[in-house]
């Protein structure tokens, strides 16, 4: 994915879930997805869609209380791909995220889904894919998907 | 005298609370919890999450649990520590201290599942509550319907598919502006208090999955529904109708919890129901469960609030059971953030 912005309009939780599944098909080991947006805007629903796309069979529940949940995912081409589902909602400061050992996971071999990523400050990796959710009616949400920096390419190397 | 009759030291650090307790043969000698309200004792307000707070407070809490019980390590029969589920860094603090104390004293150590602790909390408060019974464990992090066939033999009937019941209270309290800056987990008591002044029928909030034949819960849509009812209203009205929103929201959560719990109990043939976990402190939930269960001839049990919310007495109680079965952990006991409840199977439909 190059440095660009994509917008999508979801008209139901089902559709938000489907957008998540669509993104899952493009994720590689080591990818991070930073999810931002108000309460009830669809972050967990989208994360559940990504997990479904990565063939997670367990219930994907809100990680608000425990900060991070781990699932055994499988990539579309059949490779083991652990999924780490974060929720930074309860964090007092990014320091607390660091103490949890987020770096090992953000720069590891699994896929990280990070809800309330804006509370993670500089600890959110530059290679994260940002997905922002905005309320646009009781069922309607505007999704903006973007990358922070142009991804490393051979010509820049 | 068997090991389970001797006092057991329990240690709980799975999430926000730093707790230690001494329990002997179901009797609670001490039940110590470090929370923010006690900060004057140790100096300074303590942010909730960081494991460094467990590190700082756990040893003083253990000391206090022992001194309140008027016992020393030499008097104990064993040490029980929460192994999971929970936050790995927080669990590790409790486990490391447990291991250190066990190594130094020669006492046996056992890892305990946090939810099994909540199940034992019921029988510690009510010795006549013996299996089989249906248990609803509802808190900020869990919402599970577990049929306790026998101790150590559990059947899961239902659980949440998204948010925990307590989390729904916390987030709706946030939406209603009932939480102070930096506060994230006081939603239950705040909503409950405000709801007493409101009309629970003022708003018709969704009761998700209530007509679903299964026993799973879903609270995520309810939160969004509350959000949009508030958005529909003029800002100046929010304070006036906040109590009605709180009461109507609470009624929706309580209806679903009570409905599913009693239907599960009836289908399982259970005559007793246990309500445990932090949400069990909710008065509206207790009242409706009592009322509807008594019409069905079922007995309802709930621990006192100090045993409903996270505590170490329940860990000591469950640990005594595990130790009596000869289960002990070695020096390789490790934190298990996603630990499955031992002896749990899914209900076969």
């Amino acid at each position: 994915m190059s440095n660009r912005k994509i917008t999508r309009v979801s008209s139901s939780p089902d559709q938000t879930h489907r957008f998540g599944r669509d993104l899952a098909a493009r994720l590689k080991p080591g990818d991070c997805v930073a999810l931002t947006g108000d309460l009830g805007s669809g972050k967990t629903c989208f994360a559940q869609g990504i997990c479904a796309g990565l063939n997670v069979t367990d219930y994907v529940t809100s990680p608000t209380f425990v900060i991070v949940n781990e699932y055994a995912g499988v990539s579309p081409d059949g490779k083991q791909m652990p999924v780490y589902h974060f929720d930074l909602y309860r964090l007092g400061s990014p320091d607390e995220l660091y103490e949890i050992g987020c770096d090992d996971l953000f720069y590891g071999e699994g896929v990280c889904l990070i809800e309330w990523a804006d509370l993670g400050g500089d600890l959110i990796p530059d290679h994260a894919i940002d997905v922002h959710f905005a309320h646009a009616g009781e069922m309607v949400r505007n999704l903006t998907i973007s990358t922070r920096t142009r991804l490393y390419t051979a010509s820049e190397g | 005298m068997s090991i389970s009759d001797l006092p057991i030291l329990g240690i709980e650090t799975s999430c926000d609370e730093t707790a230690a307790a001494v329990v002997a043969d179901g009797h609670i000698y001490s039940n110590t919890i470090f929370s923010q309200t006690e900060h004057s004792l140790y100096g300074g307000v303590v942010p909730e999450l960081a494991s460094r707070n467990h590190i700082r407070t756990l040893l003083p809490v253990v000391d206090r649990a022992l001194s309140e019980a008027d016992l020393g390590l030499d008097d104990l029969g064993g040490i029980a520590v929460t192994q999971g589920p929970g936050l790995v860094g927080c669990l590790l603090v409790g486990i490391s201290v447990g291991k250190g104390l066990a190594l130094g004293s020669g006492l046996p150590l056992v890892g305990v599942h946090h939810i099994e602790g909540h199940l034992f909390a019921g029988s510690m408060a009510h010795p006549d509550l013996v299996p089989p019974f249906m248990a609803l464990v509802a808190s900020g992090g869990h919402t599970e319907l577990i049929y306790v066939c026998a101790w150590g033999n559990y059947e899961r009937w239902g659980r949440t598919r998204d948010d925990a019941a307590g989390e729904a209270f916390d987030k709706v309290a946030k939406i209603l502006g009932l939480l102070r800056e930096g506060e994230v987990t006081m939603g239950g008591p705040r909503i409950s208090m405000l709801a007493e002044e409101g009309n629970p029928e003022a708003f018709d909030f969704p009761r998700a999955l209530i007509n679903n034949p299964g026993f799973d819960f879903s609270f995520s849509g309810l939160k969004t529904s509350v959000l949009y009812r508030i958005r529909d209203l003029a800002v100046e009205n929010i304070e006036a109708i906040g109590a009605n929103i709180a009461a109507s929201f609470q009624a929706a959560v309580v209806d679903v919890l009570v409905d599913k719990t009693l239907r599960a109990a009836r289908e399982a043939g259970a005559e007793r129901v246990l309500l445990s976990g932090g949400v069990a402190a909710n008065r509206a939930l207790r009242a409706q469960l009592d009322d509807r269960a008594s019409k069905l001839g079922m007995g309802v049990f709930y621990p006192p609030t100090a045993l409903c919310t996270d505590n170490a007495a329940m860990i000591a109680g469950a640990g005594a059971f595990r130790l009596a079965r000869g289960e002990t952990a070695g020096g390789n006991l490790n934190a298990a953030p996603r630990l499955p409840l031992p002896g749990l199977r899914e209900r076969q439909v």
Side-chain angles (χ1 to χ4, degrees), chain A residues 142-155:
Chain A
N142 292 329
L143 279 63
T144 310
I145 304 168
S146 58
T147 51
R148 299 179 172 214
T149 52
R150 194 205 296 260
L151 294 185
Y152 183 87
T153 62
S155 61

Side-chain angles (χ1 to χ4, degrees), chain B:
Chain B
M1 190 183 253
S2 81
I3 192 168
S4 58
D5 299 326
L6 290 170
I8 304 294
L9 172 68
I11 294 173
E12 154 68 35
T13 60
S14 66
C15 207
D16 297 340
E17 319 293 350
T18 312
V22 177
V23 170
D25 197 20
H27 179 76
I28 299 167
Y29 284 76
S30 63
N31 190 14
T32 311
I33 296 178
F34 179 88
S35 67
Q36 294 200 59
T37 53
E38 293 180 73
H39 59 78
S40 56
L41 200 63
Y42 301 94
V45 175
V46 181
E48 279 194 287
L49 275 174
S51 41
R52 66 164 173 256
N53 293 313
H54 289 303
I55 294 173
R56 226 179 69 198
T57 53
L58 182 54
L59 284 174
V61 165
V62 167
D63 274 346
R64 202 166 97 192
L66 287 169
S67 68
E68 279 180 15
D70 202 15
L71 295 170
L73 283 174
D74 294 348
D75 303 309
L76 300 178
I79 297 170
V81 58
T82 307
Q83 188 187 1
L87 197 52
V88 64
C90 296
L91 291 164
L92 275 172
V93 176
I95 289 172
S96 304
V97 167
K99 275 187 201 173
L101 290 173
L103 192 67
S105 61
L107 288 168
L109 176 72
V110 68
V112 169
H113 192 284
H114 183 80
I115 297 286
E116 189 165 52
H118 280 301
L119 297 174
F120 271 86
S123 75
M124 292 168 72
H126 306 280
D128 47 332
L129 177 64
V130 288
F133 59 87
M134 184 61 71
L136 171 67
V137 179
S139 64
H142 309 277
T143 303
E144 307 228 356
L145 258 179
I146 294 169
Y147 184 55
V148 179
C149 309
W151 291 121
N153 181 355
Y154 310 116
E155 202 171 81
R156 178 155 58 198
W157 281 56
R159 54 183 159 148
T160 184
R161 293 182 183 176
D162 39 55
D163 298 355
E167 179 184 345
F169 274 92
D170 289 334
K171 289 191 170 165
V172 167
K174 170 85 175 169
I175 292 167
L176 285 172
L178 301 178
L179 300 179
R180 287 194 280 269
E181 183 68 29
E183 227 178 30
V184 282
T185 59
M186 283 298 289
R190 297 278 161 76
I191 296 261
S192 170
M193 197 185 294
L194 186 60
E196 288 189 12
E197 303 155 21
N199 172 10
E201 290 171 7
F203 296 90
D204 186 20
F205 289 127
R207 272 85 171 147
L209 303 177
I210 200 162
N211 294 317
N212 183 302
F215 296 91
D216 280 349
F217 303 96
S218 168
F219 295 107
S220 158
L222 174 58
K223 169 188 70 193
T224 310
S225 184
V226 170
L227 186 68
Y228 275 87
R229 288 299 77 71
I230 291 173
R231 287 189 166 211
D232 292 345
L233 299 159
V235 177
E236 61 268 25
N237 286 340
I238 287 178
E239 232 164 278
I241 54 96
N244 284 347
I245 296 253
S248 301
F249 157 78
Q250 179 174 267
V253 176
V254 167
D255 276 357
V256 177
L257 290 176
V258 171
D259 217 78
K260 298 241 172 205
T261 302
L262 291 180
R263 195 156 55 78
R266 210 169 49 220
E267 278 191 33
E271 290 166 3
R272 289 175 296 265
V273 172
L274 168 67
L275 186 58
S276 192
V279 177
N282 183 279
R283 268 187 278 177
L285 175 60
R286 289 183 174 196
Q288 192 184 129
L289 191 61
D290 273 338
D291 183 49
R292 289 178 55 187
S294 67
K295 287 176 184 145
L296 295 168
M298 290 178 197
V300 178
F301 298 82
Y302 25 72
T305 302
L307 289 180
C308 283
T309 49
D310 287 354
N311 66 87
M314 68 182 196
I315 301 303
F321 163 73
R322 293 281 162 195
L323 285 166
R325 296 221 309 195
E327 297 176 24
T328 53
N332 59 354
L333 182 70
N334 205 351
R338 303 276 287 168
L339 186 70
L341 177 59
L344 178 74
R345 61 187 183 281
E346 300 297 328
R347 177 177 76 112
Q348 298 302 313
V349 184

Side-chain angles (χ1 to χ4, degrees), chain A residues 4-72:
Chain A
R4 61 192 170 127
K5 190 176 272 193
I6 304 167
T7 56
R8 292 276 182 276
V9 178
S10 166
S11 54
S12 69
D14 279 350
Q15 198 169 4
T16 299
H17 192 272
R18 197 155 55 241
F19 286 147
R21 283 206 308 272
D22 291 347
L23 179 61
R26 312 176 59 153
L27 293 176
K28 304 176 303 298
D31 277 346
C32 290
V33 183
L35 306 161
T36 53
D38 287 342
L39 275 176
S41 61
K43 300 180 294 299
T44 301
C45 182
F46 188 85
Q48 287 170 330
I50 292 179
C51 289
L54 295 176
N55 303 296
V56 170
T57 51
D58 201 358
Y59 284 15
V60 176
T61 54
S62 165
T64 297
F65 201 71
V66 292
I67 317 299
V68 57
N69 275 328
E70 180 182 347
Y71 300 98

